[in-house]
Amino acid sequence: MNRRLHKLLPSGLAATLLLIAAGSAPAHAGDGFLARIGEAQVLYRTTTVALRANRAEEAQASLKRLADLWTAASARVPGLPPGATPRVPMLAEMMDGGAARLKQASEAVAQGRGDAALETLAPLKREWITLRRAAGLYGLVECLDEASEALDYFHAMRRNPQDLARPETRGDVIARAAVYRFALKRCEPFATLDLGIDADYRRQADSIAAALDVVDSALRLRDAALLDRVLADLKTFDTQLSQRYGG
């Protein structure tokens, strides 16, 4: 637990400083190139939410805005001064690949293949997180992505039956739950800045917190089956939160 928390805590402190810097950084980064990446994340979220809800017209309109934004951002890459872009290998190729994926996704939506569009778009989320983090920018999307990684570490316990009678096993469960709880809690200020007072975000986050509280009951009762169910619920809740607000 200590090693895991030590790994997370410094990034949490740094994230606060990065968020403060994020407001001014895009203004100096190639006339808004990085700002457009942030805007693309918002449109990506709008698009994927619409696709999962089978709102094809809304998704297509959002994709059109996203493609236009991406074209404008890509056009600025060749003329950007040194140091204005994130230090990402093959940035121009990444931008071209993104444009191609947006076009393929738009075609899939037009053909009524929303699932195929989601699959085509999925790698863009990771690429844009990479771009922003390389530039020292951090927000809700990046925070929720880290929280999901923390849950994956906890959820991996489902792969093997857990003997909760063993103190070391209970200690491991407590540590992994604490890491995830901390990682998700750290996203609250970013959610407030990004979304304002969003009741749905609060409800979903509260559902996760309630499920984490049940972990304590599973440990007290030495109930491995209950722990397994809680882990399954946590994965569902986290996926819903990540898809809705992280893209």
Side-chain angles (χ1 to χ4, degrees), residues 52 144 147-148 151-152 154-155 158 180 184 200 203-209 211-212 227-245:
R52 293 187 184 101
L144 287 176
S148 292
L151 177 60
D152 287 342
F154 187 18
H155 191 260
R158 292 193 74 199
Y180 177 52
L184 189 62
D200 190 49
R203 280 194 298 270
Q204 293 191 47
D206 286 347
S207 295
I208 293 174
L212 283 168
L227 175 63
D228 186 80
R229 291 195 298 273
V230 172
L231 287 172
D233 287 344
L234 283 171
K235 186 65 175 177
T236 298
F237 296 152
D238 182 82
T239 298
Q240 291 172 346
L241 188 69
S242 180
Q243 288 180 347
R244 175 66 180 84
Y245 297 100

Side-chain angles (χ1 to χ4, degrees), residues 133-190:
R133 290 181 69 95
L137 301 179
Y138 191 96
L140 181 59
V141 174
E142 290 75 25
C143 190
L144 287 176
D145 185 65
E146 286 190 350
S148 292
E149 288 182 358
L151 177 60
D152 287 342
Y153 174 65
F154 187 18
H155 191 260
M157 300 190 83
R158 292 193 74 199
R159 295 171 188 166
N160 299 300
Q162 300 299 315
D163 183 2
L164 299 185
R166 301 178 61 190
E168 57 269 33
T169 300
R170 296 197 301 276
D172 195 17
V173 170
I174 292 170
R176 296 185 190 215
V179 168
Y180 177 52
R181 189 189 292 273
F182 171 80
L184 189 62
K185 186 73 174 177
R186 193 160 56 88
C187 296
E188 289 185 5
F190 298 104

Side-chain angles (χ1 to χ4, degrees), residues 64-235:
K64 174 63 167 59
R65 294 195 300 273
L66 183 51
D68 291 344
L69 174 67
W70 201 246
T71 298
S74 298
R76 296 185 178 274
V77 171
L80 290 175
T85 57
R87 295 181 179 179
V88 177
M90 302 179 70
L91 176 60
E93 290 80 1
M94 180 184 292
M95 299 298 291
D96 289 343
R101 284 191 174 277
L102 291 172
K103 181 179 179 181
Q104 293 169 9
S106 181
E107 292 172 350
V109 173
Q111 296 166 4
R113 298 185 297 118
D115 288 344
L118 282 169
E119 184 176 349
T120 299
L121 291 170
L124 295 180
K125 176 182 176 181
R126 174 60 50 193
E127 290 182 3
W128 298 348
I129 286 175
T130 299
L131 279 172
R132 281 173 49 86
R133 290 181 69 95
L137 301 179
Y138 191 96
L140 181 59
V141 174
E142 290 75 25
C143 190
L144 287 176
D145 185 65
E146 286 190 350
S148 292
E149 288 182 358
L151 177 60
D152 287 342
Y153 174 65
F154 187 18
H155 191 260
M157 300 190 83
R158 292 193 74 199
R159 295 171 188 166
N160 299 300
Q162 300 299 315
D163 183 2
L164 299 185
R166 301 178 61 190
E168 57 269 33
T169 300
R170 296 197 301 276
D172 195 17
V173 170
I174 292 170
R176 296 185 190 215
V179 168
Y180 177 52
R181 189 189 292 273
F182 171 80
L184 189 62
K185 186 73 174 177
R186 193 160 56 88
C187 296
E188 289 185 5
F190 298 104
T192 300
L193 287 170
D194 190 351
L195 307 167
I197 304 301
D198 190 299
D200 190 49
Y201 180 93
R202 183 71 269 157
R203 280 194 298 270
Q204 293 191 47
D206 286 347
S207 295
I208 293 174
L212 283 168
D213 289 341
V214 178
V215 171
D216 294 334
S217 297
L219 293 176
R220 186 177 65 255
L221 298 171
R222 309 292 193 262
D223 191 337
L226 177 58
L227 175 63
D228 186 80
R229 291 195 298 273
V230 172
L231 287 172
D233 287 344
L234 283 171
K235 186 65 175 177

Side-chain angles (χ1 to χ4, degrees), residues 5-108:
L5 287 174
H6 182 268
K7 183 178 180 181
L8 283 173
L9 280 168
S11 66
L13 294 173
T16 303
L17 298 176
L18 292 174
L19 183 64
I20 295 172
S24 59
H28 304 289
D31 194 24
F33 172 77
L34 290 173
R36 285 180 167 83
I37 303 299
E39 293 170 18
Q41 286 181 320
V42 175
L43 283 172
Y44 178 94
R45 184 166 64 206
T46 300
T47 301
T48 54
V49 167
L51 285 172
R52 293 187 184 101
N54 295 316
R55 300 195 297 266
E57 290 186 6
E58 181 182 334
Q60 191 67 279
S62 182
L63 266 174
K64 174 63 167 59
R65 294 195 300 273
L66 183 51
D68 291 344
L69 174 67
W70 201 246
T71 298
S74 298
R76 296 185 178 274
V77 171
L80 290 175
T85 57
R87 295 181 179 179
V88 177
M90 302 179 70
L91 176 60
E93 290 80 1
M94 180 184 292
M95 299 298 291
D96 289 343
R101 284 191 174 277
L102 291 172
K103 181 179 179 181
Q104 293 169 9
S106 181
E107 292 172 350

